[in-house]
Amino acid sequence: MLWDFSIPKAAGIVARTWPFLLIRVAVYGLFAIVFLVMTVSGGIIGHQTLPLLFETIVPMQGGIFGAFGGMAFGGLVLRILREYSLYMVKAAHVAVMVRLFDRGALPAGASQLAYGWAQVRERFAEASVLFALDQLIKAALAGIGQTMQRLGGFMPGLRAVFGIVQAIADVAIGYVDEIVLAQNLRTKSANPWKTSADAVVLYAQNGGAMLRNAAWLTLFLAIAGITVFAVVAGPVALALGGLEGPVQMYGLIGSAVVTIFVLHVLLEPFAVCALMSVYFARIDGQTPDPRWEERLNRATPALAELRANGEDFGDGATQPA
């Protein structure tokens, strides 16, 4: 196989977690509406005011500049809100996917939402602990990112196309925090800091395999994104083709927002599940290699901070899954 994950199994697990998908639809749907409102508002303001302030700007240009300003501001606000509003949902979703991956079913009589949040609360007594842990993991990913890019640079045919390498590295490390969380939940770790540090090192030392699978996932996600955009943008372009002004631009922006919406709601969990399955298979029987830990420590101090927090927390004992 060119890739190590099972597309039917990953897609099946994601489909079975439909209660979490509905929550994601609701949250991201609200985000999409807010984003569009900010974009259109910025376009209207720019269309009306910028030509009055700058003689060289015509209303059409003002609308474009205002729309992009609204997009930038809306994107910043929503990114901050997303970090907080979806974090516990994503963590509980990962807990359910881990259980379905390992056991095929939840405990008898358990609902997905109740089971997922109970697992997260059991491992992380307070949401603030989980959030702080996640921020340190993301900081430690800087070292993995540099390693992935170096590995990508040596792959045949990719050195000259650094943009593609960067996109693959983004997928390879973009979901590491959720995969590390999955490892914590799977091993029922008593010391999430130590387990997370080990999990980050194990991910890095299997970077070649993770990068190869991320390359295929990047291709699949790109094809899916282009397909969704074409399906949405085609009818929109036909419907708005005879209209003048920035309306057509708003239609294209709306199509892009819908595409991003689908990527976050459906394809992001699929990517997490696929990479999670590869990771679990690759690290089976492995222990963290001190040489890889040294490389990561040279790239970022965050891994050492994870280790220090783990020593302060306890002995790092784990219970069998």
Side-chain angles (χ1 to χ4, degrees):
M1 283 288 290
L2 298 174
W3 54 86
D4 302 323
F5 53 87
S6 168
I7 295 177
K9 182 174 182 178
I13 289 176
V14 172
R16 291 177 63 187
T17 60
W18 60 266
F20 287 100
L21 297 182
L22 290 180
I23 294 178
R24 294 173 76 102
V25 166
V27 175
Y28 278 112
L30 179 60
F31 285 178
I33 292 171
V34 171
F35 184 79
L36 286 174
V37 168
M38 289 185 174
T39 300
V40 173
S41 298
I44 293 173
I45 293 172
H47 186 271
Q48 298 294 328
T49 61
L50 289 182
L52 299 177
L53 298 174
F54 304 96
E55 295 181 356
T56 56
I57 294 180
V58 299
M60 181 66 175
Q61 291 175 318
I64 294 174
F65 292 150
F68 279 109
M71 289 173 60
F73 179 72
L76 176 62
V77 171
L78 292 180
R79 181 173 182 176
I80 295 172
L81 292 177
R82 178 175 175 264
E83 285 286 331
Y84 290 93
S85 62
L86 270 180
Y87 197 77
M88 293 301 291
V89 173
K90 291 169 69 173
H93 195 179
V94 168
V96 173
M97 287 196 292
V98 168
R99 173 75 186 200
L100 294 178
F101 179 83
D102 281 336
R103 307 286 183 87
L106 297 183
S111 73
Q112 290 191 21
L113 298 180
Y115 175 84
W117 280 316
Q119 291 297 303
V120 174
R121 284 195 300 269
E122 181 182 345
R123 302 268 71 78
F124 310 96
E126 299 178 4
S128 58
V129 174
L130 180 57
F131 187 78
L133 176 63
D134 181 68
Q135 297 307 303
L136 265 184
I137 292 171
K138 287 178 177 176
L141 297 186
I144 291 186
Q146 294 178 19
T147 302
M148 292 291 187
Q149 289 175 22
R150 285 196 294 269
L151 286 170
F154 288 109
M155 292 175 69
L158 289 185
R159 178 178 289 274
V161 209
F162 183 76
I164 297 177
V165 176
Q166 183 62 54
I168 294 171
D170 287 344
V171 171
I173 68 173
Y175 305 117
V176 177
D177 55 331
E178 288 166 274
I179 293 172
V180 170
L181 172 63
Q183 177 69 357
N184 272 286
L185 294 166
R186 192 185 198 213
T187 60
K188 298 188 180 299
S189 170
N191 186 335
W193 304 96
K194 178 182 183 300
T195 301
S196 296
D198 289 344
V200 169
V201 176
L202 287 169
Y203 196 98
Q205 71 188 49
N206 289 280
M210 302 308 298
L211 189 66
R212 173 170 53 82
N213 284 275
W216 285 106
L217 271 175
T218 302
L219 177 62
F220 297 155
L221 295 178
I223 292 173
I226 292 170
T227 302
V228 172
F229 183 79
V231 169
V232 175
V236 170
L238 289 175
L240 303 180
L243 300 178
E244 298 180 355
V247 178
Q248 293 183 14
M249 180 187 67
Y250 295 147
L252 290 176
I253 292 174
S255 300
V257 170
V258 171
T259 302
I260 295 171
F261 172 81
V262 172
L263 289 173
H264 279 301
V265 170
L266 297 177
L267 299 182
E268 183 179 272
F270 169 79
V272 170
C273 191
L275 286 177
M276 181 181 76
S277 66
V278 175
Y279 178 76
F280 288 161
R282 295 293 304 184
I283 70 168
D284 187 34
Q286 292 186 11
T287 56
D289 188 333
R291 292 172 298 178
W292 277 100
E293 180 150 359
E294 183 180 352
R295 293 173 188 172
L296 292 175
N297 281 329
R298 287 199 299 265
T300 172
L303 182 62
E305 190 172 349
L306 275 173
R307 286 284 184 215
N309 287 346
E311 293 175 0
D312 292 339
F313 188 86
D315 62 6
T318 62
Q319 304 168 7

